[in-house]
């Protein structure tokens, strides 16, 4: 199943990318023309790969497209190139170098950073900032990015997530240099824990967790702390301990109960679903993370303020081994309201059919966002536009959508969509037989949509129900109609209808044509809008982004005969 999903995403990603690359190629050629008077193929190619690293996978197609566009641009004057760019709203000045102000502290000559997903579900928007920032800085400083799968808790492992995460990273255009599974490293954690016990820096605690918790909050130690090193080592190798036994780290005096005598390993007689652990001891997050960060040479740790106490604990572990600490940088959290992020809840709700899958458009998993036509680079641009400070930031959906609109607006096709169509007959129609509208009104060079026009038109039931006798309305881009004695009468073609600014109600419509498509739009609130879409939809391909006028942006998911399924974006 996961292979199928992967193939689907890969295909979707490729199809989608091509139109984006092509648009960017045009822009870069025009920009070079205006700036330098001439264009160099390699510099355009570098710009495309710089902007879309995954474009490396389609070099041949891209080079062909650049060559084609170079030919087109040969005859064009600099003035014309400038005009086109202005119309498209492309900045002519050197494009703002994104996130110039985002910097890492400390020595940045050999940056090694890591992203550390848990295989408990696919990646969701809540993970995205950690991933984007670490990816950004390693690329910025030409460093190394480690992807570390943190699967040390056998009870939180959701097996399909191993694949889902890697698929998501690929689709998110995040390239890492090294892939590490913590479950390959049981021996390392075991040996280093044993070392701390041998040095008297840690001990086995067999108290019930409630009992220990009471003591902890009274700032008292449990009796286990007094145990001799030899006894601790014996206990550590005893395979018959009760569940709940832990190895505790001897912490210095602290006011933070969460830190006091924190545990570094726990005893669990549970088989790990991915990689067998021969020891029954599973490392706690702070322990495995510190060890792996140190052993893999991580230089900078950039993560959310929710890791404040973890960071304190990890610093103590570094000190106990005498290891040099990396640069820790914690940033404020991105507060996501009304977004379901609990992976276990999502998995449960999928089982109960509340969601159709991990890419259900109601969800904020990365794959659901991609499915809606929200581009990886929109998510990245949005997240990189946020300042890195200790302050929390409230997530603004509209700001994310705005970044996406910047990418899709130049390439999306506008289409009339009529929900729950009602056929009306307009009497005495005497206008033209067809009209032509730009497929993308923002792009004067876009293709023309041709619509038959005449006395029989479909309008949405909602519009139909709202029309009152005596109303005059305009069929958008078409003609004006008066409703009279429950009949529809042709008024005229003109706009505006009256000299004074009477705003005519504009209604979307479609011709009575066999070439219309049936269309279902999967909305983000679990509903489906059903209606008709104009014949120009025959030009659409899967993964195209469209703007259904009056509905919003959507991504085409399926096209079969005269039926189209789209997923609503926003
Ligand atoms: Zn104890």
């Amino acid at each position: 199943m996961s292979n199928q999903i992967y193939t689907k995403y890969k295909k979707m990603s490729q199809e989608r990318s091509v139109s984006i690359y092509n648009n960017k190629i045009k822009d870069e050629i025009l920009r070079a023309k205006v700036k330098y008077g001439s264009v160099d193929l390699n510099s355009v190619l570098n710009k495309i790969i710089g902007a879309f690293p995954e474009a490396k996978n389609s070099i041949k197609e891209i080079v062909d497209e650049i060559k084609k566009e170079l030919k087109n641009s040969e005859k064009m004057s600099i003035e014309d190139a400038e005009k086109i760019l202005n119309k498209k709203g492309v900045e002519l000045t050197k494009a703002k170098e994104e996130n110039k102000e985002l910097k890492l502290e400390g020595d940045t000559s050999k940056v090694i950073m890591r992203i550390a997903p848990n295989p408990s579900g696919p990646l969701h928007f809540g993970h995205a900032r950690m991933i984007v920032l670490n990816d950004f800085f390693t690329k910025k400083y030409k460093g190394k990015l480690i992807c570390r799968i943190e699967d040390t808790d056998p009870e939180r492992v959701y097996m399909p997530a191993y694949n889902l995460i890697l698929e998501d990273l690929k689709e998110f255009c995040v390239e890492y240099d090294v892939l590490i599974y913590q479950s390959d490293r049981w021996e390392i954690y075991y040996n280093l824990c044993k070392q701390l016990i041998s040095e008297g820096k840690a001990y086995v605690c067999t108290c019930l967790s409630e009992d220990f918790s009471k003591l902890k909050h009274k700032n008292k130690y449990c009796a286990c702390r007094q145990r001799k090193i030899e006894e601790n080592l014996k206990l550590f190798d005893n395979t018959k301990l009760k569940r709940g036994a832990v190895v505790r780290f001897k912490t210095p005096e602290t006011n933070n109960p969460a830190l006091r005598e924190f545990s570094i390993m726990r005893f669990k007689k549970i088989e790990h679903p991915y990689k067998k652990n021969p020891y029954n001891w599973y490392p706690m997050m702070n322990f495995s993370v510190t060890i792996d960060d140190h052993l893999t040479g991580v230089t900078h740790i950039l993560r959310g303020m929710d890791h404040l106490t973890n960071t304190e604990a990890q610093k103590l572990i570094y000190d106990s081994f005498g290891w040099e600490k990396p640069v820790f940088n914690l940033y404020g959290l991105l507060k996501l309201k009304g977004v379901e992020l609990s992976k276990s809840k999502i998995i449960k709700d999928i089982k109960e059919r509340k969601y159709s899958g991990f890419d259900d458009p109601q969800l904020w998993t990365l794959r659901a966002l991609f499915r809606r036509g929200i581009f990886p680079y929109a998510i990245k641009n949005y997240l990189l536009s946020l300042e890195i400070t200790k302050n929390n930031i409230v997530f603004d959906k509209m700001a994310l959508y705005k970044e996406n609109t910047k990418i899709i607006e130049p390439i999306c096709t506008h289409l009339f969509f009529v929900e729950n169509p009602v056929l009306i007959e307009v009497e005495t129609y005497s206008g033209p037989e067809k009209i032509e509208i730009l497929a993308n009104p923002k792009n004067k060079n876009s293709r023309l949509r041709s619509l038959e026009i005449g006395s029989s038109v479909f309008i949405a039931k909602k519009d139909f129900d709202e029309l009152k006798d005596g109303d005059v309305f305009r069929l958008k881009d078409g003609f004006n109609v008066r409703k009279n004695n429950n009949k529809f009468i042709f008024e005229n073609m003109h706009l505006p209808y009256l000299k004074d600014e009477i705003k005519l109600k504009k209604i979307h419509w479609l011709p009575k044509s066999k070439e219309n498509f049936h269309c279902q739009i999967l909305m983000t609130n679990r509903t489906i809008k059903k209606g008709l879409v104009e014949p120009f939809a025959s030009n659409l391909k899967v993964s195209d982004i469209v703007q259904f006028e009056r509905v919003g942006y959507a991504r085409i998911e399926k096209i079969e005969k005269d039926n189209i399924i789209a997923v609503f974006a926003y």
Side-chain angles (χ1 to χ4, degrees):
M1 166 186 157
S2 110
N3 247 344
Q4 266 174 356
I5 295 177
Y6 180 64
T7 317
K8 183 183 115 197
Y9 276 92
K10 203 171 149 198
K11 197 155 165 270
M12 171 181 136
S13 163
Q14 283 164 352
E15 282 163 347
R16 190 182 61 194
S17 304
V18 172
S19 56
I20 300 230
Y21 302 153
N22 292 356
N23 192 54
K24 176 97 178 148
I25 288 168
K26 277 187 196 132
D27 288 356
E28 287 304 340
I29 290 177
L30 293 174
R31 200 183 276 167
K33 182 125 193 160
V34 173
K35 266 181 86 181
Y36 310 110
S38 67
V39 193
D40 163 44
L41 188 147
N42 280 327
S43 72
V44 175
L45 183 62
N46 286 338
K47 284 259 164 70
I48 303 302
I49 290 170
F52 309 109
E54 81 285 8
K56 279 184 224 146
N57 303 330
S58 345
I59 289 273
K60 198 191 160 292
E61 291 84 333
I62 288 172
V63 169
D64 288 346
E65 183 68 20
I66 295 176
K67 283 183 186 159
K68 194 182 104 197
E69 285 300 328
L70 280 176
K71 235 185 196 151
N72 288 341
S73 75
E74 269 169 18
K75 288 169 226 132
M76 194 184 286
S77 69
I78 292 178
E79 287 75 13
D80 283 343
E82 197 163 1
K83 266 185 211 156
I84 296 172
L85 285 176
N86 279 335
K87 262 187 211 157
K88 289 175 86 175
V90 175
E91 277 177 71
L92 277 176
T93 46
K94 196 169 181 293
K96 236 189 341 186
E97 206 177 297
E98 278 159 33
N99 301 295
K100 228 183 201 166
E101 72 280 11
L102 294 186
K103 277 188 195 139
L104 279 182
E105 290 165 22
D107 178 9
T108 52
S109 59
K110 271 186 197 148
V111 170
I112 301 178
M113 299 177 81
R114 43 80 167 175
I115 51 175
N118 278 303
S120 49
L123 296 177
H124 57 60
F125 190 70
H127 298 117
R129 194 170 180 216
M130 173 272 286
I131 294 170
V132 167
L133 285 174
N134 283 283
D135 181 43
F136 172 77
F137 283 118
T138 47
K139 302 291 177 293
K140 174 173 173 143
Y141 295 109
K142 301 193 169 39
K144 206 167 89 175
L145 183 66
I146 297 170
C147 174
R148 188 170 70 215
I149 305 293
E150 301 208 327
D151 57 349
T152 54
D153 186 349
E155 286 162 287
R156 279 185 65 201
V157 168
Y158 173 68
M159 282 300 282
Y162 284 97
N163 280 334
L164 294 172
I165 287 171
L166 299 185
E167 285 165 22
D168 287 344
L169 286 174
K170 190 156 194 208
E171 179 70 6
F172 201 24
C173 310
V174 171
E175 283 179 25
Y176 42 81
D177 303 278
V178 187
L179 178 64
I180 291 174
Y181 293 83
Q182 288 193 316
S183 55
D184 282 335
R185 303 164 67 79
W186 302 128
E187 195 181 348
I188 297 174
Y189 309 129
Y190 173 85
N191 286 336
L192 284 168
C193 182
K194 200 166 191 174
Q195 182 185 327
L196 287 185
I197 295 173
S198 316
E199 291 169 0
K201 292 171 180 169
Y203 56 96
V204 177
C205 168
T206 47
C207 298
L208 288 174
S209 72
E210 315 76 284
D211 295 343
F212 181 82
S213 182
K214 276 181 207 151
L215 288 169
K216 183 172 81 172
H217 284 97
K218 286 186 205 149
N219 206 358
K220 283 185 181 158
Y221 296 125
C222 70
C224 312
R225 203 181 203 261
Q226 302 307 323
R227 220 177 259 132
K228 291 201 180 95
I229 289 174
E230 294 70 38
E231 283 175 60
N232 274 319
L233 287 172
K234 238 183 229 167
L235 277 175
F236 192 55
D237 278 333
N238 182 345
T239 55
K240 291 189 178 106
L241 289 179
K242 280 200 184 123
R243 189 187 164 111
V246 293
V247 175
R248 294 197 181 280
F249 185 88
K250 287 186 182 169
T251 57
E253 284 287 312
T254 168
N255 294 325
N256 182 355
L259 203 57
R260 200 172 292 146
E261 305 291 290
F262 63 85
S263 52
I264 53 175
M265 292 282 250
R266 61 182 150 193
F267 186 86
K268 268 190 188 183
K269 272 206 147 172
I270 292 179
E271 195 151 320
H272 193 277
Y274 189 66
K275 269 279 169 66
K276 194 173 163 25
N277 175 353
Y279 302 105
N280 301 318
W281 286 103
Y282 285 94
M284 302 299 286
M285 190 271 280
N286 282 326
F287 193 57
S288 48
V289 158
T290 306
I291 290 170
D292 291 338
D293 283 342
H294 172 71
L295 294 179
T296 56
V298 168
T299 58
H300 291 76
I301 294 174
L302 188 58
R303 57 188 174 188
M305 284 294 278
D306 49 339
H307 285 284
L308 192 61
T309 299
N310 289 333
T311 302
E312 291 313 306
Q314 291 170 24
K315 283 179 179 170
L316 291 173
I317 299 172
Y318 274 97
D319 288 341
S320 71
F321 284 116
W323 293 339
E324 194 188 329
K325 289 191 269 289
V327 177
F328 287 98
N329 196 348
L330 300 180
Y331 52 79
L333 301 180
L334 185 59
K335 294 279 179 192
L336 306 166
K337 277 186 200 155
V339 173
E340 180 54 72
L341 295 177
S342 155
K343 287 187 268 188
S344 53
K345 180 147 194 311
I346 292 173
I347 292 169
K348 182 174 158 273
D349 286 344
I350 289 175
K351 273 187 195 145
E352 289 169 10
R353 305 269 171 101
K354 197 175 155 201
Y355 302 124
S356 56
F358 289 121
D359 62 356
D360 186 303
Q362 298 173 85
L363 289 171
W364 278 74
T365 56
L366 292 184
R367 56 186 61 213
L369 294 176
F370 300 152
R371 186 179 174 203
R372 286 166 55 196
I374 311 231
F375 282 78
Y377 283 90
I379 300 174
K380 289 183 178 186
N381 290 344
Y382 166 70
L383 292 170
L384 290 171
S385 73
L386 305 173
E387 269 186 286
I388 303 181
T389 68
K390 300 266 183 266
N391 301 329
N392 290 344
I393 300 171
V394 177
F395 169 53
D396 176 6
K397 260 183 215 176
M398 296 323 287
L400 169 66
Y401 294 162
K402 211 169 140 192
E403 287 296 339
N404 201 54
T405 304
K406 277 192 217 161
I407 297 177
I408 63 178
E409 196 153 55
I411 54 160
C412 75
T413 300
H414 290 235
L415 292 168
F416 283 173
F417 171 85
V418 171
E419 191 177 3
N420 300 328
V422 176
L423 190 66
I424 62 169
E425 294 295 333
V426 181
E427 296 180 9
T428 68
Y429 176 74
S430 62
E433 283 177 10
K434 68 171 192 177
I435 56 158
E436 288 187 322
I437 316 167
L438 282 171
N440 183 333
K442 296 252 163 71
N443 178 0
K444 301 283 178 259
N445 298 321
S446 63
R447 291 177 63 180
L448 288 171
R449 294 145 52 195
S450 177
L451 273 176
E452 290 170 36
I453 191 165
S455 50
S456 303
V457 289
F458 285 113
I459 63 172
K461 181 164 188 308
K462 187 166 179 287
D463 289 329
F464 180 83
D465 290 344
E466 280 171 7
L467 289 170
K468 291 187 286 294
D469 224 42
D471 277 357
V472 177
F473 58 94
R474 180 167 182 80
L475 297 172
K476 190 172 182 282
D477 297 317
F479 56 89
N480 304 326
V481 182
R482 178 184 296 273
K483 184 177 179 188
N484 227 347
N485 292 325
N486 280 324
K487 285 181 178 168
F488 294 94
I489 323 279
F490 175 72
E491 279 277 306
N492 57 22
M493 295 299 294
H494 309 302
L495 184 77
Y497 169 61
L498 296 170
K499 274 180 199 153
D500 47 342
E501 287 291 313
I502 290 179
K503 279 188 188 149
L504 283 181
K505 185 181 168 75
K506 274 188 210 150
I507 287 183
H508 285 83
W509 58 279
L510 283 176
K512 184 186 171 191
S513 163
K514 277 185 191 146
E515 287 166 27
N516 287 335
F517 284 79
H518 294 280
C519 181
Q520 291 164 292
I521 311 173
L522 312 184
M523 303 302 288
T524 48
N525 62 359
R526 233 192 159 193
T527 60
I528 299 175
K529 271 192 196 301
K530 287 180 189 167
L532 286 177
V533 74
E534 61 181 90
F536 190 79
S538 63
N539 294 292
L540 295 176
K541 296 184 300 298
V542 168
S543 281
D544 277 354
I545 306 293
V546 296
Q547 184 172 20
F548 291 122
E549 295 204 6
R550 243 170 99 187
V551 180
Y553 294 107
R555 194 187 131 259
I556 301 299
E557 179 152 288
K558 213 172 184 183
I559 306 174
E560 21 178 53
K561 271 192 191 164
D562 60 345
N563 195 30
I564 288 177
I565 294 173
V567 186
F568 183 69
Y570 48 91

